[in-house]
Amino acid sequence: MSRPGPADSAPVQTGVPLADYTTLRLGGPAARFRVARDTDELVAAVAEAESAGDPLLVLGGGSNLVVADDGFAGTVVHADSQSVEFAEAGDGRVRVRAAAGVHWDPLVERAVAEGLSGIEFLSGIPGRVGATPIQNVGAYGQEVSQTIAEVLVYDRRTGERRTMSNAECGFAYRDSVFKGDDRHVVCEVVFELTRSPLSRPIRYAEVARALGTEAGARVPLDQARATVLELRRGKGMVLDPDDPDTRSAGSFFTNPVLDPEDYAEFTRRAADLLGPDVQPPAHPGPDGRVKLSAAWLIDRAGFARGYGSPARISTKHTLALTNPGGATTADLLALAREVRAGVAKAFGVTLVNEPVMVGVAL
């Protein structure tokens, strides 16, 4: 997996273009920029910015960020810590402690190679370990919350390090107590994986079809990883410097989750627009709510793959908004607003952005 930008060893730099550190290749300069090589350096850099009263942005792989064209008028701390420790926990369980700066996909690759099950369907996702609990990163029926045992954080309010349990992280669909609240800086994440040559049960129909099996089946770990990588590449979701469709922040919108009343209204509007025989993809949840497909909504609202210029919808997947070259953050947000308004007009559903906005708002 290619890295969005080079890390410089200098303690403090000025005017570093954040476009070099985001997968969208967008974002203006940072007033101050520091690289943290381990947890102690990360905590120290954050604490120093705090004591100086400086605005702070902790940056990992930049794969889930939309940064303003004006940049960031404060201190950016780039987490580049690479420590990984494996420890047997008994009963076939293995605890993997990874520092925030560890690249995510190589960690998944190593877990699969060592016969550890639990994150194999999260292959190919760009970014760093520190971002995974914030977003409760997930794909193909698997989420990191299913394997996260604890998270070591730096509490900016108390100035102390603290270990938070899985329950304390407040995980939900693409959400956690960390998202939208900058109190806690993720320093290290502990995953509890299972020693097994087989994957967790397949929960996603697309993966099952690609593997020629059924939902609920288990397959060899390397086979699960290879299949997911192939599916993601087909959607431009694996970083490739030669493929402009991968110059994105991944899925730009989350899949909407509607309560029964709103879902009934949605189905009525969908039938009026598309005809009564069209069945929108929907996944009922145990709480009575229903999850829709944002990609389907975008497509059926009239936004085809490749739509837009200079920012455009990916030519491979309608859920990714891309910068094929020459776009600005303003261009990207204009396209996002157009798509959001079009879906709302067609279906009465308001899409919510998945990437974190820095200095801008949708």
Side-chain angles (χ1 to χ4, degrees):
M1 183 178 66
S2 61
R3 297 176 62 179
D8 193 297
S9 59
V12 179
Q13 302 173 75
T14 58
V16 173
L18 295 178
D20 291 346
Y21 289 84
T22 68
T23 53
L24 272 165
R25 299 293 188 181
L26 296 175
R32 286 160 293 285
F33 187 92
R34 296 186 62 175
V35 177
R37 304 291 184 182
D38 57 33
T39 295
D40 288 342
E41 287 189 8
L42 176 59
V43 169
V46 170
E48 286 179 28
E50 289 281 316
S51 64
D54 210 16
L56 173 69
L57 172 64
V58 178
L59 173 68
S63 60
N64 199 46
L65 288 182
V66 178
V67 180
D69 292 316
D70 291 338
F72 187 73
T75 296
V76 174
V77 178
H78 177 43
D80 199 33
S81 43
Q82 296 299 316
S83 172
V84 179
E85 299 174 357
F86 288 70
E88 299 290 338
D91 299 323
R93 295 173 295 114
V94 176
R95 285 200 159 201
V96 180
R97 176 179 291 272
V102 170
H103 293 270
W104 174 252
D105 191 55
L107 180 66
V108 177
E109 183 180 30
R110 181 175 172 185
V112 167
E114 298 201 12
L116 300 177
S117 173
I119 54 176
E120 57 280 354
F121 294 116
L122 302 179
S123 294
I125 295 175
R128 311 283 181 116
V129 164
T132 61
I134 297 172
Q135 193 76 5
N136 187 16
V137 165
Y140 298 111
Q142 204 166 62
E143 294 179 334
V144 291
S145 58
Q146 296 164 353
T147 53
I148 288 179
E150 58 191 40
V151 179
L152 175 67
V153 301
Y154 173 69
D155 189 329
R156 297 174 63 187
R157 188 176 300 172
T158 65
E160 298 177 346
R161 303 184 200 195
R162 173 188 170 198
T163 297
M164 299 178 64
S165 68
N166 182 292
E168 289 175 306
C169 293
F171 290 122
Y173 172 65
R174 300 298 177 270
D175 201 8
S176 71
V177 297
F178 310 116
K179 189 173 180 180
D181 185 345
D182 61 2
R183 172 178 176 176
H184 299 107
V185 175
V186 175
C187 299
E188 299 173 5
V189 183
V190 178
F191 302 90
E192 190 166 278
L193 307 180
T194 303
R195 194 167 291 287
S196 171
L198 299 178
S199 70
R200 295 283 176 96
I202 298 169
R203 299 177 58 189
Y204 209 78
E206 183 182 12
V207 175
R209 287 194 299 270
L211 285 163
T213 187
E214 298 179 353
R218 302 174 69 193
V219 298
L221 289 174
D222 58 351
Q223 189 177 351
R225 173 173 167 79
T227 298
V228 167
L229 287 173
E230 183 178 359
L231 289 172
R232 290 185 64 86
R233 285 194 186 97
K235 299 173 183 178
M237 295 291 188
V238 176
L239 293 181
D240 181 349
D242 296 325
D243 184 355
D245 275 330
T246 71
R247 204 171 295 141
S248 76
S251 298
F252 197 89
F253 297 105
T254 60
N255 291 322
V257 180
L258 306 183
D259 61 31
E261 195 173 288
D262 290 337
Y263 179 66
E265 173 63 15
F266 160 72
T267 55
R268 183 191 66 77
R269 294 182 65 149
D272 288 345
L273 181 67
L274 304 172
D277 295 332
V278 174
Q279 297 297 318
H283 305 277
D287 57 0
R289 298 192 299 168
V290 181
K291 183 192 295 184
L292 305 180
S293 165
W296 186 91
L297 294 171
I298 293 168
D299 180 68
R300 295 307 178 98
F303 299 98
R305 299 175 187 178
Y307 178 89
S309 178
R312 75 181 184 196
I313 294 175
S314 167
T315 65
K316 300 180 179 67
H317 197 275
T318 54
L319 202 48
L321 306 188
T322 70
N323 167 27
T328 64
T329 298
D331 294 328
L332 184 85
L333 294 179
L335 175 61
R337 294 183 186 112
E338 182 182 0
V339 170
R340 183 180 64 176
V343 169
K345 181 178 180 181
F347 298 109
V349 175
T350 301
L351 296 178
V352 176
N353 56 281
E354 184 167 330
V356 176
M357 302 288 168
V358 177
V360 292
L362 188 58

